[in-house]
């Protein structure tokens, strides 16, 4: 069963109102070659400033956890495009730790090749023969000799300066009949029962991230515009899927409860990475102001009487034959 955004998320009334912070992250190994240190964290060095979040081990753990959240919210699926990956050449934009590419290769061993692209060389040094990782800036001109059958682009909010150009490059580098899939959260947090107030710390954090993204020209909320971008690039047909990702273990549905529990850990352990660079360097907040915000975000995320939700959008768009 897939969860449609039109359906309200039912609250589990037996869930305790508050919990202690606990970590449940796991990670893949990495070989980092270029980096810089600031705010007590490690950041990529290649094209520094293009990505305003860390690339150290805690951040890799968090990215792998988000991968699991998306896998579960899609009902244990890696993609929703109507394709059979057998024999395909696939591109994974912003591959991060490479976990999606590696899991795809394991699930579909008949895939011809998966290319994982990222600014940070944090992928494993080992990989199957049909998986290749490339450190490069996807916003530069592509030099692929052979077009792709499927392009996967996920969780790239705040990373892309010119989304329409990126979508056009995807179109140009797809075979006729090939598919592009975009997966992004709509980064405006809300509740269906008014339990999350507009002045809450979590809402203030998301508002600040969106404001900072606009100031540096890298939107933190691309999801609402994705359908127009793919239409303008010439993709047709376009399949649109909407889901809800809760924050916390308050949902009654077991799968949403699991996703919400991981999403809580994502926010509690990730808030420092979210705010460190953008809030101080772009918005001009003091360290003390950021620390107060982070503490408030963590406390709210642990409360089961606040029923916060993110909408999650998946667009699968085909290049005409």
């Amino acid at each position: 069963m897939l969860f449609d955004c039109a359906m309200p998320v039912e609250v589990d009334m037996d869930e305790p109102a508050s919990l202690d912070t606990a970590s449940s992250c796991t990670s893949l190994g990495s070989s980092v070659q270029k980096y810089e240190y600031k705010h007590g964290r490690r950041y990529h060095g290649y094209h520094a400033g293009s990505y305003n979040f860390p690339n150290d081990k805690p951040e890799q753990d968090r990215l792998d956890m988000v991968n699991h959240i998306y896998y579960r919210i899609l009902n244990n699926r890696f993609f929703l495009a109507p394709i059979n990956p057998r024999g395909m050449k696939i591109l994974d934009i912003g591959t991060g730790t490479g976990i999606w590419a590696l899991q795809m290769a394991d699930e579909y061993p008949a895939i011809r090749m998966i290319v994982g692209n990222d600014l940070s060389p944090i992928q494993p040094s080992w990989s199957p023969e049909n998986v290749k990782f490339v450190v490069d800036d996807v916003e530069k001109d592509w030099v692929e000799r052979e077009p792709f059958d499927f392009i996967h682009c996920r969780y790239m909010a705040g990373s892309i300066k010119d989304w329409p150009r990126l979508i056009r490059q995807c179109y140009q580098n797809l075979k006729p009949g090939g598919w592009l899939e975009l997966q992004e959260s709509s980064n405006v947090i809300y509740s269906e029962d008014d339990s999350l107030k507009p002045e809450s710390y979590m809402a203030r954090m998301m508002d600040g991230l969106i404001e900072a993204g606009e100031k540096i020209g890298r939107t933190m909320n691309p999801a609402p515009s994705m359908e127009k971008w793919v239409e303008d690039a010439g993709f047709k047909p376009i399949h649109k899927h909407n889901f809800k990702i809760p924050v916390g273990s308050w949902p009654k549905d077991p799968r949403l409860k699991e996703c919400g529990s991981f999403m809580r850990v994502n926010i509690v352990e990730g808030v420092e990475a979210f705010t460190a660079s953008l809030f101080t360097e772009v918005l001009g907040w003091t360290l003390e102001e950021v620390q107060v915000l982070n503490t408030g975000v963590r406390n709210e995320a642990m409360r089961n009487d606040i029923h916060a939700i993110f909408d999650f959008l998946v667009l699968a768009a085909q290049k005409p034959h």
Side-chain angles (χ1 to χ4, degrees), residues 226-241:
M226 292 192 311
E227 188 171 8
K228 182 180 185 304
W229 291 333
V230 296
E231 285 179 348
D232 290 347
F235 286 95
K236 187 178 181 179
I238 300 169
H239 299 175
K240 185 176 180 179
H241 310 268

Side-chain angles (χ1 to χ4, degrees), residues 19-39:
L19 296 171
D20 293 329
T21 304
S23 172
S24 58
C25 296
T26 58
S27 74
L28 295 171
S30 65
S31 176
V32 180
Q33 300 171 354
K34 297 181 179 180
Y35 50 83
E36 64 176 351
Y37 287 96
K38 58 182 180 178
H39 309 298

Side-chain angles (χ1 to χ4, degrees), residues 19-184:
L19 296 171
D20 293 329
T21 304
S23 172
S24 58
C25 296
T26 58
S27 74
L28 295 171
S30 65
S31 176
V32 180
Q33 300 171 354
K34 297 181 179 180
Y35 50 83
E36 64 176 351
Y37 287 96
K38 58 182 180 178
H39 309 298
R41 302 292 297 269
R42 190 187 67 209
Y43 292 72
H44 74 97
Y46 178 64
H47 288 200
S50 298
Y51 182 73
N52 289 278
F53 306 102
N55 72 350
D56 51 19
K57 187 175 183 299
E59 180 69 359
Q60 294 172 45
D61 295 342
R62 189 188 69 80
L63 292 175
D64 287 350
M65 181 172 57
V66 171
N67 173 75
H68 177 73
I69 294 172
Y70 290 168
Y71 175 72
R72 292 290 289 136
I73 210 70
L74 297 184
N75 198 21
N76 300 344
R77 298 182 66 179
F78 297 108
F79 57 89
L80 297 184
I83 62 171
N84 179 356
R86 175 183 292 271
M88 283 190 167
K89 181 184 179 185
I90 298 173
L91 173 64
D92 182 28
I93 294 176
T95 194
T97 66
I99 189 170
W100 183 88
L102 294 169
Q103 290 178 339
M104 275 286 288
D106 184 61
E107 182 75 12
Y108 302 98
I111 289 175
R112 182 160 60 91
M113 176 59 68
I114 303 178
V115 179
N117 174 290
D118 204 277
L119 285 172
S120 292
I122 58 174
Q123 302 78 35
S125 56
W126 56 266
S127 65
E129 291 185 355
N130 61 346
V131 176
K132 178 177 69 173
F133 295 118
V134 177
V135 177
D136 200 3
D137 186 349
V138 75
E139 292 205 82
K140 288 184 171 292
D141 291 336
W142 296 10
V143 291
E144 283 294 325
R145 297 180 179 178
E146 178 189 357
F148 295 96
D149 300 283
F150 178 49
I151 297 177
H152 174 261
C153 181
R154 183 185 68 181
Y155 201 44
M156 294 293 284
S159 304
I160 302 300
K161 204 166 188 70
D162 191 342
W163 274 96
R165 182 178 186 273
L166 174 63
I167 302 302
R168 291 194 300 270
Q169 289 217 93
C170 291
Y171 186 92
Q172 293 162 4
N173 286 273
L174 274 170
K175 292 179 180 178
W179 287 83
L180 166 67
E181 183 159 323
L182 305 175
Q183 299 184 6
E184 291 289 340

Side-chain angles (χ1 to χ4, degrees), residues 280-295:
T280 58
E281 298 174 14
V282 178
L283 298 183
W285 286 36
T286 66
L287 178 60
E288 292 74 19
E289 289 172 330
V290 174
Q291 290 174 338
V292 169
L293 176 71
N294 292 351
T295 299

